């Protein structure tokens, strides 16, 4: 770990994205997802599962008000603990004072407010900000005097607070609340929610820790770790850094804290090394392979990377590096999807990449992006940014329909719709996106990531601006008190032309570090760097010198269609190829190619024709190729017959970007296609 | 349905199998499985899950004794109903008066006694018979005065009797008890257990039926239907036939009986057409597709076929035919395995044949054999016998290790051992056979089927002897009071030479119907039929005339290695071939061919060399072929790279019979192999 290489994300207030690939996606989130999400938070969407989120905050708030009115006579209520409340038959607007929904329902608000915050930095909207302020008032009214703020326990009985860290989600809700609060503060300067988060954090810091008498627990679902680091970075309060460190270091130590909660399942009891699902099977520094619930895993690793950066802890950094390498070189789909099985939404094992029973949750790829950015902050190596770009353009974006109105949890690489309906082992795979989910993690996670894409595209240190993703827009860079605007235009991911123009009243001496994407290899051109010093390091081209108004760099990355194959240890992809162009993975859909995709054969050295089209509402490049299809073998009165020489017929195939699949109804889809 | 074509199985007392393929398997059952099974019934096998079966019968018997001693003062106990008793931590010899094990534990005894009965017909064994008689005494002592005999309820509380037909197994236990009782009576002439079964059946007949005041239920797990037909056929009591009819006809009618038990699961409630799992979603005559739990399905269909035969009900027969065709032409593995998913151990849908997430329970293939024999009894069409032979030599026999000491529930067609351990979606697939199971259905089911294989090989009517399987041995045929012995020798399944010699003091006029196996097509020769009338009908060669002492028929079936392919709608087998020779399906194992079986490529027109060997303890033919293997692609620092022209190397492959796989430790296995 070399702290001279450290960089940090650029504040979204200093970035204005204004074109290219990401701006339309951000607009989709702003216009479709954020308003829709607010309606669901308030249970006003007839076709979506109600969230009950705002209802719960209001109920908790009313209980607090009563408490205040009762004054000193008040005693903490000890309601009967009812465990995980089943959703009632859609009461929509329950007017009773019960908690409804999942234990983690509070986080629906927090994810929404975070997306709102990012959106406001790119598109000020007083009306939206007013709604957000009102929501914050409701949320803050629910907070207890001691700082605790989780409506599930406030409503159901505080005597059970922090008694099921393993499976309930108080620290998860805290983490999301904090992320939302920091974002809203950074976007608007308003600190009401930030102060609430700090009070909750203070309470947690007083409750958990290695000191005698303190609880030795840690979150069942990680996120508090990275949230606390954000809180530390915005407040400077060492307590939060220390708490994040504690959560990371305590995790997986012996005796297992989760054992002490008495909620060990029969299955868990049987394993000596248990709690892999929670990444709590070993102390984190002893973990060498990504295991368990994939979202939790990458959230933890992101928090570990944050703590490593803050503390300079090299062993923790090396662990992050080991886990990063395990995921990206042994357990990642070609789309940047991670988590091979829906059993526990989890990793399975190295080189096991089933395409049809896959999980590859949208949130897991989002978490991988979090992890990548944090590794980049410590070590500007393009291997992280390559994966970040890959996940964003494929396994993340596939989670949202092109109209921003429906969503995937699971992002399969092979779909036969009948299996989704009638094979119970594949019913987690949906052939079309769903409107919204009762357990709504993926849609709001997409909203907050896409709205803040600028903070993944660019990082900086004192004199260097790193460009990880060529997201078109303007970035402000200050060096020695001199401000420069760097204006980026980008044709990515469809064409490889990128320009960077400097706008600055006075010359600025700085370095611009340009990522050379892995997918173009060494096949790129740079113009306009005359007089500046250029050097390549770890996949970044560092262009240093004095930049004056109008200085223009032109980059051209070669964008060729690439036919990919998998390592032979991935037995599921044997004999198959996948098509990529730049960072975009392609797929075949029934809508373009008819039924029977397993019968299709692609010649790996065939010539692909590019077709730029807006037909799906966004500019995209489709690919066409002359291929073959096997004449179907129809066995009379049975399933099997003696082999007969196959007959192949010519067939033109049309590939579309993977992220755009399933926008034209239900049908077969394949990423990995049989080769001829 | 043409009752002139009806035939019935030949009593095992008139068959002596004495060589060829099946006798060694029967000896394995006699010497290994039956004694081992008796030990497990008594919880005396340290390495096996205890059965508690005999323990439970003894406890129930003691309770009955107390009852008798109490005399008229006795009141039926109403013990607290404890639901499904969890297995304690292996008490082995519990000395308390509790019921242990699964709700269907009684059937362990019944399956054992049935196998013992068959075995005694082929190998008299006074010592074994004495043990069996003693066990029968214990079992009969547990029967209540009213005839009821299920220890789960006798011990736990008779007030709950027949209150959960859906998921508890009283009528299943009754069915197995009856099958065992009939078999033991037929083998030994002893009727103590038969009478117990009759008393239980009488009680059930008084309890269930369409008449007012009677319970309108039917079994959750079918088998009573076929058991009652057997009981009817041995006793002639119409009541039993009527009860079988009732169970068949009542099933799936509206309103759903299972609804009334109040044990509807949340998932079931959501479906309008529910209880597919139990084949109770529709009245049986409206069922067109095999659905739900595969073992239950084929047990029901077998019972339906029995009832159709007894009652001449053509609509029921046609339903059986429709369901038979659905299974065997749309939902059956090339091995005769059925049940594509472990979720509910069930069928999925037509042409969906996953090889690695497969269930293909040994018992389901056994049930398919039951169903086949019953269809043959009504209609001697070789399509039934072809499937019966296929299932027996592959999907059934693969359930037992070559030493008879370990067993498979699940019979996969593709195995990567790591997946069995670390992919929760494949953990039902075991890479090596298990010693015995707490829920022991497959091993004893294998034992009773293999011990009675003669009754599947041969059926008869007045003047015709049908040979469905060429199992070597002597069959007694009586025509018009004249007895003839037909002595069969058979090289099957390894060579196609079969002889039938008649031994008879006086000439006998009869027909011998010889099945011409589907796998040889028309490629067979017959010698010795001069002077007799020959005609082919539905795959059987009927040879009629007067048979004298020494008359000898010689048959030679061509046995060629066949390279099979699947219908293209089976997407899982696309681009792959399977190897067969006669009825035997072959597979590749890591033990012979090393790791990396997905990299292997077979040329479908390659020449296979046969290699007869005893190396695995039984005579078998292995196959060798010159094939190719793809040089493994190793991607540096990742999983994917741009496609490179594959390099193929020559490789000799060795195929072994599928049923013999997994007898040399853990390793990869593939039935469907990539074609070049």
């Amino acid at each position: 770990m070399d702290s001279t290489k450290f960089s940090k994300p650029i504040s979204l207030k200093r970035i204005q994205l204004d074109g290219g690939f990401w701006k339309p996606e951000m607009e989709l989130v702003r216009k479709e997802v954020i308003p829709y999400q607010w309606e669901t938070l308030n249970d006003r969407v007839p076709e979506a599962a109600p969230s009950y989120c705002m209802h719960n905050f209001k109920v908790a708030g009313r209980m607090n008000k009563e408490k205040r009115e009762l004054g000193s006579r008040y005693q903490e209520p000890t309601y009967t603990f009812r465990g995980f409340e089943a959703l009632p038959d859609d009461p929509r607007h329950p007017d009773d004072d019960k908690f409804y929904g999942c234990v983690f329902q509070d986080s629906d608000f927090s994810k929404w407010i975070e997306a709102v915050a990012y959106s406001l930095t790119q598109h000020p909207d007083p009306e939206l900000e007013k709604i957000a302020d009102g929501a914050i008032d409701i949320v803050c009214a629910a907070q207890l005097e001691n700082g605790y703020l989780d409506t599930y326990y406030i409503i159901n009985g505080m005597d059970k607070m922090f008694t099921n860290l393993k499976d309930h989600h108080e620290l998860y809700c805290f983490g999301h609340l904090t992320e939302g609060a920091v974002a809203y503060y950074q976007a608007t300067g308003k600190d009401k929610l930030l102060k609430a988060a700090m009070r909750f954090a203070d309470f947690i810091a007083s409750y958990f820790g290695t000191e005698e008498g303190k609880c030795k627990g840690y979150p069942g679902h990680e996120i508090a770790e990275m949230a606390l680091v954000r809180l530390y970075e915005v407040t400077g309060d060492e307590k939060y850094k220390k708490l994040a460190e504690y959560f990371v270091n305590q995790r997986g130590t012996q005796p297992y804290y989760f054992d002490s909660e008495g909620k060990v399942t029969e299955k868990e009891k049987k394993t000596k090394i248990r709690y892999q699902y929670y990444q709590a099977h070993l102390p984190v520094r002893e973990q060498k392979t990504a295991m368990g619930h994939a979202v939790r895993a990458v959230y933890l690793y992101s928090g570990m990377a944050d703590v490593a950066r803050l503390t300079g802890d090299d062993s923790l950094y090396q662990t992050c590096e080991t886990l990063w390498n395990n995921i990206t070189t042994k357990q990642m789909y070609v789309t940047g999807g991670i988590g091979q099985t829906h059993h526990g939404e989890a990793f399975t094992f190295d080189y096991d990449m089933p395409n049809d029973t896959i999980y590859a949750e949208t949130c897991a790829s989002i978490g991988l992006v979090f992890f990548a950015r944090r590794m980049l902050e410590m070590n500007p190596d393009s291997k992280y940014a390559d994966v970040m770009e890959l996940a964003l353009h494929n396994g993340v974006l596939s989670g949202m329909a092109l109209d921003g109105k429906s969503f995937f949890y699971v992002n399969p690489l092979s779909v036969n719709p009948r299996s989704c309906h009638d094979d119970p082992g594949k019913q987690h795979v949906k052939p079309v996106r769903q409107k919204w989910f009762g357990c709504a993690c993926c849609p709001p996670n997409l909203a907050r990531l896409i709205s803040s894409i600028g903070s993944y595209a660019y990082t900086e240190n004192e004199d260097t601006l790193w460009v990880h993703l060529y997201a078109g827009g303007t970035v402000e860079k200050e060096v020695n008190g001199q401000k420069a605007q760097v204006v980026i235009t980008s044709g990515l991911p469809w064409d490889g032309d990128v320009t960077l123009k400097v706008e600055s009243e006075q010359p600025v001496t700085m370095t611009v570090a340009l990522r050379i994407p892995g997918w173009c290899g060494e096949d790129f051109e740079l113009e306009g760097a005359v007089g500046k010093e250029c050097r390549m390091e770890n996949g970044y081209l560092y262009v240093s010198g004095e930049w004056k108004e109008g200085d223009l760099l032109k980059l051209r990355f070669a964008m060729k269609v690439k036919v990919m194959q998998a390592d032979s240890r991935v037995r599921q992809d044997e004999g198959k190829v996948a098509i990529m162009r730049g960072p975009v993975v392609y797929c075949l859909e029934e809508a373009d190619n008819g039924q029977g995709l397993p019968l299709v054969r692609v010649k790996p050295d065939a010539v692909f024709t590019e077709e730029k089209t807006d037909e799906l509402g966004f500019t995209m490049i489709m690919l066409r190729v002359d291929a073959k299809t096997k004449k179907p073998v129809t066995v009379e009165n049975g399933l099997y017959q003696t082999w007969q020489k196959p007959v192949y017929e010519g067939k033109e195939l049309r590939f579309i970007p993977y992220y755009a699949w399933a926008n034209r109804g239900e049908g077969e889809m394949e990423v990995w296609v049989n080769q001829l």
Side-chain angles (χ1 to χ4, degrees), chain A:
Chain A
M1 190 160 38
D2 174 2
S3 64
T4 63
K5 290 183 177 175
F6 282 13
S7 67
K8 56 185 181 187
I10 296 181
S11 160
L12 288 174
K13 297 185 85 170
R14 295 201 282 117
I15 300 178
Q16 276 299 318
L17 297 191
D18 62 6
F21 186 78
W22 287 107
K23 186 67 181 178
E25 298 291 342
M26 292 167 67
E27 283 293 287
L28 208 56
V29 168
R30 184 176 72 80
K31 290 180 185 166
E32 293 293 339
V33 185
I34 290 175
Y36 187 88
Q37 196 177 350
W38 175 242
E39 294 304 295
T40 63
L41 287 182
N42 288 283
D43 317 326
R44 289 192 294 250
V45 182
E47 73 274 19
S51 157
Y52 304 110
C53 174
M54 296 314 293
H55 161 86
N56 293 333
F57 279 114
K58 286 176 196 162
V59 170
R62 280 199 293 275
M63 289 170 63
N64 274 342
K65 190 160 172 288
E66 284 164 23
K67 193 164 59 170
R68 278 194 299 275
E69 281 164 7
L70 284 169
S72 60
R73 287 169 303 152
Y74 175 77
Q75 289 192 324
E76 201 72 63
T78 50
Y79 301 92
T80 315
F81 181 70
R82 294 180 315 209
F84 197 121
E85 187 72 37
L87 285 175
D89 285 346
D90 196 8
R92 289 288 156 190
H93 300 288
D95 52 8
D96 58 12
D97 274 0
K98 284 185 182 170
F99 177 94
Y100 286 105
C102 301
V103 282
F104 43 78
Q105 219 66 24
D106 285 7
S107 65
D108 279 10
F109 157 78
S110 307
K111 293 164 187 167
W112 175 77
I113 200 76
E114 190 179 345
V116 167
Y118 299 139
S119 181
L120 291 175
T121 67
Q122 303 297 300
H123 187 101
D125 180 341
E127 202 174 330
L128 175 61
E129 196 168 328
K130 204 172 138 192
I131 293 172
D133 288 338
I136 287 170
D137 289 341
I138 294 169
V139 168
C140 290
Q143 187 164 35
L144 299 186
E145 286 295 318
N146 60 13
Y148 184 89
L149 179 43
D150 182 303
T151 67
Y152 181 78
Y153 286 97
I154 292 174
I155 297 172
N156 287 330
M158 288 302 300
D159 53 324
K160 296 290 182 187
M161 170 188 80
F162 297 139
T163 55
N164 190 355
L165 294 176
K166 180 161 85 74
D167 296 311
H168 285 188
H169 284 61
E170 289 155 289
L171 294 172
Y172 170 84
C173 288
F174 158 72
H176 268 300
L177 183 81
T178 301
E179 294 234 44
V182 170
Y184 198 73
Y185 168 72
Q186 290 177 324
T188 65
K190 294 176 182 169
D191 65 0
K192 181 167 183 175
L193 192 62
L194 181 71
K195 283 186 170 160
M198 286 167 71
R199 284 176 58 211
F200 196 3
D202 292 343
F203 177 72
I204 292 168
S206 72
Y207 194 93
F208 292 92
T210 50
E211 297 87 349
E212 212 186 304
K214 281 187 166 185
C215 175
K216 304 293 178 294
Y218 40 83
H221 193 315
E222 304 91 329
I223 190 179
E225 300 81 356
M226 53 176 160
L228 283 162
V229 169
R230 282 183 84 169
L231 193 61
Y232 164 71
E233 293 192 314
V234 77
T235 64
D237 189 335
E238 291 281 334
K239 182 171 36 180
Y240 305 139
K241 183 174 86 171
K242 207 183 131 203
L243 185 57
E245 263 189 274
Y246 162 78
F247 281 150
V248 165
N249 292 334
Q250 187 68 15
R251 194 166 202 87
T253 55
Q254 296 279 7
Y256 288 127
Y257 177 78
F258 292 154
D259 276 359
S260 74
E261 294 188 321
K263 321 255 186 227
V264 194
T265 66
E266 284 306 311
K267 201 176 164 192
E268 283 164 349
K269 265 187 212 164
K270 280 182 195 154
T271 47
K272 234 182 186 174
I273 297 188
R274 48 186 171 272
Y275 307 123
Q276 291 101 321
Y277 172 81
Y278 310 86
Q279 299 77 47
H281 52 299
L282 283 172
V284 296
R285 286 171 190 75
E286 293 172 33
Q287 298 187 26
K288 307 291 176 203
T289 306
M291 292 186 87
H293 189 273
V295 174
R296 297 179 196 227
V298 281
Y299 278 25
L300 169 65
Y301 308 154
S302 298
M304 284 160 57
D306 278 336
V307 170
R309 177 175 52 81
L310 284 189
T311 60
D313 183 330
D314 198 60
S315 68
L316 197 55
Y317 170 70
Q318 291 303 337
T319 300
C320 291
E321 179 69 10
T322 300
L323 291 165
W324 171 271
N325 288 336
N326 176 259
I327 294 175
T328 59
T329 71
K330 289 180 180 158
Q331 300 202 74
M332 186 179 74
Y333 288 94
V334 70
T335 54
I338 54 171
Q340 299 99 318
T341 177
H342 72 289
H343 296 272
E345 312 183 311
F347 291 101
T348 57
F349 57 93
D350 295 353
Y351 300 106
D352 181 44
M353 296 279 130
N355 293 308
D356 56 350
T357 56
I358 187 173
Y359 204 67
E361 187 180 339
T362 305
C363 286
S365 287
I366 290 173
L368 186 60
V369 171
F370 296 164
F371 189 22
R373 214 271 312 277
R374 282 158 176 84
M375 294 306 282
L376 276 175
E377 289 178 45
M378 286 189 281
N379 178 17
D381 185 320
S382 65
K383 73 176 186 180
Y384 307 115
D386 281 346
V387 166
M388 185 165 85
E389 183 190 45
L390 180 80
L392 281 167
H393 285 87
N394 302 286
V396 169
L397 211 48
S398 59
M400 183 165 74
L402 294 175
D403 64 4
K405 290 180 177 168
S406 58
F407 304 89
F408 277 137
Y409 252 74
V410 173
N411 295 280
L413 270 63
S414 171
V415 168
N416 173 58
R418 181 82 195 265
S419 298
C420 304
H421 300 300
D422 293 335
D423 176 353
K426 300 196 184 90
Q427 281 178 1
H428 61 289
V429 178
K430 304 296 173 201
V432 288
R433 293 178 184 80
Q434 316 285 296
K435 285 306 275 182
W436 200 261
F437 309 99
C439 166
C441 65
C442 298
N445 230 348
L446 272 164
R448 66 185 186 124
L449 176 64
I450 291 172
S451 306
S452 61
I453 199 78
S455 63
Y456 297 85
Y458 303 99
T459 63
E460 64 177 350
N461 69 10
E462 264 180 32
D463 61 0
T464 305
L465 170 69
W466 275 272
V467 183
H468 305 297
L469 306 172
Y470 294 90
T474 303
V475 180
E476 190 185 295
K477 176 73 194 128
E478 197 178 314
V479 187
N480 296 326
Q482 299 285 2
K483 271 187 197 170
Q485 306 286 331
V486 181
V487 182
I488 295 102
T489 68
S490 166
L492 290 178
W494 308 121
D495 75 59
D497 291 326
V498 168
T499 65
L500 283 93
K501 202 172 81 181
V502 171
E503 293 175 356
S504 175
E505 286 176 16
Q506 292 178 297
V508 175
T509 301
M510 65 175 178
T511 299
V512 178
L514 304 162
R515 170 177 154 256
I516 307 303
W519 45 260
C520 81
E522 295 177 358
D523 199 356
F524 69 95
E525 291 165 23
L526 173 69
E527 269 178 56
V530 178
K532 300 203 173 60
E533 187 202 333
C534 292
R535 66 180 172 89
M536 276 292 295
E537 191 180 334
N538 294 330
Y540 285 79
L541 181 65
Y542 289 80
V543 186
S544 309
E546 194 184 72
W547 301 76
K548 300 185 302 290
E549 170 76 24
D551 271 7
L552 179 70
L553 286 185
K554 283 189 186 176
L555 274 161
R556 171 167 294 172
F557 302 118
M559 301 213 78
K560 290 180 186 155
V561 174
K562 295 211 287 188
V563 176
M564 307 298 290
Q565 66 181 169
D567 188 288
S568 290
R569 286 165 285 189
V570 183
R571 63 201 183 290
Q572 292 96 345
D573 298 338
E574 177 52 33
K576 293 173 188 280
V577 292
I579 310 302
M580 292 188 73
R581 186 178 174 281
V584 176
V585 175
Y586 283 76
C587 69
L588 289 179
E589 271 205 308
E590 185 181 323
D592 298 306
N593 304 289
Q595 283 193 336
L597 298 182
L599 295 175
V600 159
R601 299 289 186 276
V602 171
K603 243 184 136 197
D605 53 1
V607 177
F608 288 77
T609 317
E610 301 179 358
E611 173 201 0
K612 203 162 200 162
T613 169
D614 291 317
E615 67 183 74
L616 296 179
F618 290 81
T619 300
M620 288 175 203
I621 288 182
M622 313 301 193
L623 300 174
R624 288 183 188 273
V625 69
D626 284 327
K628 302 274 185 197
T629 188
K630 201 169 117 179
K631 203 164 162 266
V633 175
T634 307
V635 178
E636 230 174 306
N637 290 322
L639 287 155
Y640 313 103
Q641 66 179 22
T642 51
W643 181 82
Q644 288 164 12
K645 205 174 159 57
V647 179
Y648 291 103
E649 290 165 349
K651 183 179 174 78
E652 190 193 52
L653 295 177
R654 189 187 199 219
F655 286 83
I656 70 162
Y658 170 72
Y659 76 82
W661 86 277
N663 280 284
R664 293 170 292 174
E666 206 173 291
E668 293 179 27
M669 186 277 289
E670 299 289 343
V671 168
W672 289 97
V673 181
N674 286 322
Q675 70 187 60
L676 193 61

